[in-house]
Amino acid sequence: MLRVAVIGGGPAGFMAAAAARESAGGGVEVEVLDAGVPLATILRTGGGRCNLANAIADPRELSRRYPRGGAFLLPCFTRFGSAEARGWFTARGLPLVEEDEGRVFPRSGRADDVRAVLEEEARGLGVRVHAREPVTDVRRAGAGFTVATPRGAREFDRVVIATGGDWRDRPGSGYRLARGLGHAVTPLAPSLTGLVAEDRWVGGLAGLTLRGAAATARFQGREAARETGDLLFTHDGVSGPLAFKISARCAFLEVSRGSPILLGLSLAPGGGREEAEARLRAAIAERQKGRVLTALASLAPRSLAEAMLGLAGIDPELPCSQLTREGRRGLSRLLESLPITIVDRVRGGEMVSAGGVALAQVDHRTMGSRLVPGLFFCGEVLDVDGFTGGFNLQAAWTTGRIAGLAAGA
Ligand SMILES: Cc1cc2nc3c(=O)[nH]c(=O)nc-3n(C[C@H](O)[C@H](O)[C@H](O)COP(=O)(O)OP(=O)(O)OC[C@H]3O[C@@H](n4cnc5c(N)ncnc54)[C@H](O)[C@@H]3O)c2cc1C
């Protein structure tokens, strides 16, 4: 009887455990060892609704949503991609719905239903799940492994490391287990965070959402990111999908007050200065007797228009007819690229860890280690991370499924 240990009972670990049993039927014993409460992470996802996948079915398109690991995932998505992951859940009685930007949720709106499907699947397949049993060490022992927990050491033929992300790399992290087995771990950093802005006017707009905004991020004179998405203004900066994308692209930049990320937010749909100038001219021409604020508020939300006039030093009450050429140019510049100075990330709010087990040492066909036979990795412990929108759980399902099928074979 083949004995498989899955270290980490998160989404990737449960998917791997189920696949291992499925691939080998009765010929394999699968145990999941979790440091805490298995599948607890699922409950926090998608604001308690669990955005478990994205409707983007084309593997190439899907792989572009990963700032790190997209090329590694591409062939994996052709085997178990978005359609397969969604099909896996619906086949187990979980109806799904698609929302904006292709985000897929359980129709019930309850992350707990996703947890229940995974738990039921594992139970039905005879997977043994151990809660509150942190793995402290994994060693090679002959052709197999000795897995140590505070309850003692046990022997397994194969080990799947599915311990998730922990960019602080605290004692007990899966990265430490991987290093102990000879694997390299790339530098780690928090990703998918809100961004802290220095500019006081930003906080004044707290609660405002800009739909489908575009932004470029520059760091030390170089473009670091160019992304689109919804942007939410908060008391201390910006958040929402666009800010998360920027945070992911800039995850490894050492941002500070002395070395900020300069965000340029475009309010001109075409993006260019001429386009911004033309739209502003038209808005002003239509309202010669009106106020500049009214003209600008036809191009941007009113509270933002007020903030822009403040930045340009223009009285909001000024009649359009009195706006100077210089004033108009200043406003056009702001419409084209409204500067926001990012000096920090929101601490503790990160959703994933960037960096992880080096992909060059992992075979994408099996998720097997290229260094240690019988060792597999899946989920966020790998050097793979995606944008928000269901992409991180998708990576967990994909890599978990592939790792489990190979570990159980
Ligand atoms: C607030 C929040 C919201 C999110 N929302 C979404 C979303 O809607 N959609 C999406 O796609 N992604 C979302 N994510 C990201 C997503 O949750 C993760 O990418 C995903 O859970 C990773 O799965 P995993 O199984 O690799 O790791 P995890 O879910 O982190 O699970 C790892 C498990 O391993 C256990 N473990 C760790 N070390 C050990 C050890 N030494 N021994 C034994 N057990 C160990 C942990 O207790 C844990 O249960 C969100 C993340 C957060 C924080």
Side-chain angles (χ1 to χ4, degrees):
M1 178 78 77
L2 190 72
R3 299 198 64 208
V4 177
V6 176
I7 306 176
F14 265 71
M15 187 54 99
R21 279 289 289 179
E22 198 186 304
S23 80
V28 59
E29 257 178 36
V30 182
E31 294 190 39
V32 174
L33 304 163
D34 196 278
V37 178
L39 293 173
T41 47
I42 283 274
L43 302 180
R44 301 194 297 166
T45 58
R49 294 170 60 222
C50 187
N51 176 194
L52 81 166
N54 192 281
I56 296 173
D58 175 49
R60 193 164 293 280
E61 219 15 71
L62 191 57
S63 70
R64 293 200 181 103
R65 270 56 182 188
Y66 297 83
R68 285 150 291 267
F72 176 86
L73 287 173
L74 175 56
C76 307
F77 287 150
T78 62
R79 288 179 57 197
F80 195 78
S82 162
E84 289 77 13
R86 285 178 282 147
W88 193 92
F89 282 99
T90 50
R92 285 156 182 80
L94 188 75
L96 305 175
V97 284
E98 186 184 326
E99 296 190 1
D100 57 319
E101 313 263 312
R103 294 176 308 143
V104 174
F105 295 86
R107 193 161 71 202
S108 63
R110 287 161 42 95
D112 195 42
D113 291 350
V114 180
R115 185 198 59 75
V117 167
L118 289 162
E119 200 175 76
E120 185 52 39
E121 180 73 3
R123 191 181 307 128
L125 287 166
V127 172
R128 286 165 58 195
V129 180
H130 306 272
R132 296 185 186 83
E133 190 158 358
V135 171
T136 49
D137 193 28
V138 181
R139 281 189 194 194
R140 294 177 78 170
F145 299 88
T146 302
V147 173
T149 77
R151 287 182 208 165
R154 271 179 282 164
E155 307 297 317
F156 290 92
D157 302 298
R158 296 191 179 154
V159 164
V160 180
I161 297 186
T163 41
D166 176 13
W167 67 273
R168 290 186 186 85
D169 199 6
R170 289 168 290 201
S173 82
Y175 309 125
R176 294 185 182 221
L177 300 179
R179 280 196 211 95
L181 289 159
H183 273 267
V185 174
T186 62
L188 303 165
S191 186
L192 303 183
T193 64
L195 301 171
V196 178
E198 182 177 64
D199 322 78
R200 301 190 88 196
W201 61 269
V202 171
L205 299 181
L208 173 70
T209 299
L210 289 181
R211 302 259 168 233
T216 53
R218 296 185 69 77
F219 184 72
Q220 296 179 347
R222 303 248 282 280
E223 184 173 302
R226 181 181 286 264
E227 294 294 344
T228 56
D230 294 352
L231 188 76
L232 171 68
F233 286 85
T234 63
H235 289 289
D236 55 2
V238 287
S239 184
L242 176 55
F244 295 147
K245 281 183 188 171
I246 302 278
S247 81
R249 292 271 184 229
C250 300
F252 289 99
L253 302 183
E254 303 242 344
V255 57
S256 67
R257 275 182 197 278
S259 189
I261 293 172
L262 301 174
L263 216 57
L265 192 60
S266 173
L267 299 162
R273 173 84 46 94
E274 279 168 25
E275 155 103 21
E277 173 103 35
R279 295 185 76 223
L280 184 62
R281 266 178 196 273
I284 286 168
E286 274 172 33
R287 298 171 182 80
Q288 274 303 307
K289 291 197 179 130
R291 298 177 305 157
V292 176
L293 174 60
T294 316
L296 198 57
S298 70
L299 303 176
R302 196 180 175 83
S303 53
L304 187 55
E306 280 170 349
M308 288 165 74
L309 288 168
L311 287 173
I314 295 170
D315 179 359
E317 299 300 322
L318 188 77
C320 284
S321 56
Q322 288 179 27
L323 182 65
T324 62
R325 200 162 150 215
E326 220 171 83
R328 198 185 64 230
R329 288 219 170 126
L331 288 178
S332 303
R333 271 197 295 276
L334 292 176
L335 278 171
E336 183 215 359
S337 182
L338 181 63
I340 301 178
T341 309
I342 304 299
V343 293
D344 203 354
R345 301 178 172 85
V346 174
R347 306 281 167 135
E350 65 278 355
M351 287 188 236
V352 294
S353 301
V357 172
L359 300 178
Q361 297 174 344
V362 180
D363 184 341
H364 66 77
R365 292 167 301 183
T366 58
M367 297 297 142
S369 160
R370 292 189 191 277
L371 311 180
V372 182
L375 177 66
F376 300 82
F377 297 96
C378 57
E380 214 185 297
V381 73
L382 289 163
D383 180 17
V384 164
D385 62 282
F387 290 148
T388 54
F391 303 108
N392 287 294
L393 284 172
Q394 177 65 57
W397 312 135
T398 298
T399 57
R401 172 88 184 165
I402 293 173
L405 288 177

